[in-house]
Amino acid sequence: MSLNGLKLPRQKLMLLAMVVLFMAVLSYAVNLLKMHRDTSERFAESFQSTHENVVSLSFMLEKQVQSIYYQLTLDKVLGEWLSQPKPLISNMYMLGEVQDNSLKIINSNPMIVSVYIYSKVNRTVLASNHEFTTLDQFPEKELFTEFNEKNGHWVGKREEKAGYFHKKDIITFVGPLGDRGLAAINIDERKLFDATPDSFGMVLSGKDGRVLATREGKDANGSILSLEHLPSASLAAGQPFRWEKYYVTASGQTDGEWNILSYTPQIELSASWKQRRNLLVVLTCVLMGLTYLIYSSMRRLYVQPMERLELSFNRNLEDMKHQFVLNVMSGKLKEPDIRDKMSEMGLRFPSGRFRVILFQIDDFYNYLLSMKQEERYFMDKTVYNAIKWTFMTSYPCYAVKAELEKIAILVAEPEGMEGEATMKELEGTVRYLQKEIYDSCSLTICAGISRIHEGMNQVHCGYYEALQAVGFKTIYGKHSIIHYGDIAARRTDDSAGGAASADIGKWCQLLREGQTESFEAHLREGVDRLVNEERFSLDRLNAFFSNVLYGMVKTALAQRLDMSEIVQEDLFMKMYGYEFLQDKTDYVLQVAGKISACLASRKGSNNKTLQLIVDYIHANYDKSISLTTISDSLGVNASYISTLMKHEFGCGFVEYLNQLRIKKAQQLLEDPSLAIKHISEMCGYETVHSFIRNFKKLHLFTPSEYRSKAMAKRNV
């Protein structure tokens, strides 16, 4: 008593601790997830903000360059110097003023590295960072010699040659100074991108799409990004978007020439992001584990005890009701006993008119055996409850398990309702259950419905009628609804059903003559006569088909055919193994077709050349043979061999050879000591894969599966 008193509080304390831990982990996970999301949003905002700052600075710089260029075009001193036919000592003062103006321009903007002035009149160049030289001696002369525009243009990134000290990467604006000269303003490419983080990659391009300058980020490689394949619609939107492993955005000024594209690796690829994501995955697993533990503890401490109490309260009463209905259906109780028992258990029906519906669940026993032991009881109850509650929620009825595969429903017919309307409603419910159970469990259900009987003392008659109806599923099918009224209306015929021996002899004669269609028509006519008899039974049906098979075997033996080669199985056991009429009929017709084909092939095999070909194939099927090898060995044209085989056998050489090899392989597979690979070699296949593929094409399963089935059948 003391141990139990200590055990229960300890379990509750552990449950409370798990709940507290769950709330703490959940709170931490939510905060981490929020931080995860906020980090991504802040990163995108920071990326866009930094890009916009760079765009703004570049736009201001472009405007400044345009303004400086405009001032140079209006500079009178510069204009006079450009008009000088050749440099003289007398105009050195003027040259100094031009040089001072260039230095002022450089000092006014730290991004401007140098200014070049070229005079077309005297073909000299004045550079702010180089001595005064002629155009031919100037290191950057291609800036002026290749200029042929009315307006200025930008020259892309390159290393500055005109300089005494450190070399710099520059981009240059070149513009005309009237008709007398040109001006080149050089900008330091490195300082242009100084304001961006190391992780950013930048691309500066002009209006015509020419790339003026690029800057590779720390982890941003433009060549990997495939900039030329970027979607133009996303670029035009001016908002960051994901492309490959990067965030990308682009902005341009409509009244300027520059367009700047920025890109940086997505934050999801960073180590901190991945670490946070992995932590979230771990926390999710922890939460799932805690949820399971809490749920299990709650069920163990609270739910299961309540369920046991409720079950123990209702079990006896429910079991008594179940047994009572079973006894009523079996006819074990008399009418006074029935009234007394119904009053004791509170079992009431709205009317005294009853109908019995019996469900036959096919292969339910084998279906349960295929499950684990602990799952069988659960599945058995699930199927039973599905049928039970589907009816009990719609009709005044009671459901019982008559047998393992049979469930009976005792339905009380409401007073004043038409029988046809009630029957249609019942059939709809039955079809719904058939579909649901087949979709869920792949089990077929046949339902037998009795006629209406007055009084509980006649319920056993309804149960017997439902049993009789279910027995006719051999004809109607395993997924059918059978009314006892339909089978009871069959005509009475005391004569022997089916076909007499003389009739079967005539059918076999049709088979010998190759008239398989006439044979099939007579067989189906005989089956129809049999099933329309009131005395129909499964034994009479099996006897009929056994007589037909015996006549076919007798015909084959009379024609000296080896039935073991035609059908490699026990004909009669195979036929008895089929449960339904259609399956039995199809099997008998299949055997008849094989016998007819063998008889036809024998008639056409009188051609001596064909016999030589067949003998050669049978003697060499385990080797690598072809139409060419047969032609060379027998001296017969290969095309003629192919045409002859198709005409006589209805199949080509390859198909005939493959069927022969597979047939030989089936015999070898009976020996479990032979490996599949060895069998494939013995049958002439070059690879085991080719053997398996061709075997499966004919039998729909692999050689190993065929061997397993054969061994299992042998051990039965």
Side-chain angles (χ1 to χ4, degrees), residues 464-625:
Y464 172 78
E465 291 177 356
L467 278 174
Q468 291 292 310
V470 167
F472 275 76
K473 70 174 182 175
T474 301
I475 300 176
Y476 291 94
K478 54 187 174 183
H479 211 62
S480 57
I481 301 175
I482 307 170
H483 296 272
Y484 179 79
D486 295 337
I487 64 173
R490 292 177 181 273
R491 61 183 176 85
T492 303
D493 187 358
D494 294 329
S495 62
S501 299
D503 293 336
I504 295 176
K506 293 178 181 178
W507 301 351
C508 293
Q509 179 64 31
L510 294 174
L511 200 62
R512 284 195 298 271
E513 296 172 357
Q515 300 182 34
T516 54
E517 294 182 358
S518 297
F519 175 86
E520 180 179 353
H522 283 84
L523 177 67
R524 293 191 183 279
E525 183 181 352
V527 171
D528 290 339
R529 288 201 305 270
L530 177 65
V531 298
N532 286 322
E533 296 175 359
E534 186 180 11
R535 295 173 56 202
F536 167 79
S537 68
L538 185 59
D539 291 337
R540 286 170 62 81
L541 184 66
N542 287 332
F544 168 75
F545 282 118
S546 296
N547 290 334
V548 175
L549 285 176
Y550 176 75
M552 292 163 55
V553 171
K554 186 177 179 181
T555 300
L557 294 176
Q559 296 297 317
R560 298 181 180 179
L561 295 178
D562 187 355
M563 287 299 297
S564 62
E565 291 187 1
I566 298 174
V567 183
Q568 298 179 356
E569 57 194 359
D570 190 321
L571 294 175
F572 299 93
M573 291 301 295
K574 185 72 172 181
M575 184 273 297
Y576 278 108
Y578 289 112
E579 182 178 4
F580 296 98
L581 174 64
Q582 186 60 47
D583 295 336
K584 293 176 182 290
T585 305
D586 291 343
Y587 178 69
V588 171
L589 290 174
Q590 178 186 354
V591 174
K594 291 181 179 180
I595 294 175
S596 178
C598 289
L599 291 173
S601 64
R602 172 170 291 183
K603 291 178 181 179
S605 64
N606 295 327
N607 190 313
K608 295 182 178 180
T609 303
L610 179 63
Q611 192 62 46
L612 288 173
I613 295 170
V614 171
D615 292 343
Y616 184 87
I617 295 173
H618 280 255
N620 298 277
Y621 73 91
D622 57 342
K623 303 179 181 63
S624 178
I625 62 173

Side-chain angles (χ1 to χ4, degrees), residues 168-184:
K168 297 180 179 179
D169 290 330
I170 60 173
I171 59 175
T172 303
F173 176 79
V174 182
L177 299 173
D179 297 331
R180 296 168 294 177
L182 299 169

Side-chain angles (χ1 to χ4, degrees), residues 68 75 79 126 137 159 162 302 317 386 402 406 473 515 544 554 558 579 602 638 642 664 674 694 715:
I68 291 169
D75 191 333
L126 175 61
Q137 295 176 341
E159 187 179 57
Y302 300 105
L317 180 60
K406 292 184 176 66
K473 70 174 182 175
Q515 300 182 34
F544 168 75
K554 186 177 179 181
E579 182 178 4
R602 172 170 291 183
S642 177
K664 298 296 183 181
L674 292 176
N694 284 285
N715 295 330

Side-chain angles (χ1 to χ4, degrees), residues 665 668-669 671-683 685 687-689 691-692 695 702-708:
L668 295 173
L669 286 168
D671 186 357
S673 63
L674 292 176
I676 300 296
K677 183 177 180 181
H678 184 47
I679 292 175
S680 70
E681 294 173 353
M682 294 172 66
C683 293
Y685 287 100
T687 64
V688 70
H689 299 292
F691 169 55
I692 294 174
F695 194 97
T702 63
S704 299
E705 293 171 346
Y706 177 87
R707 170 177 279 174
S708 300

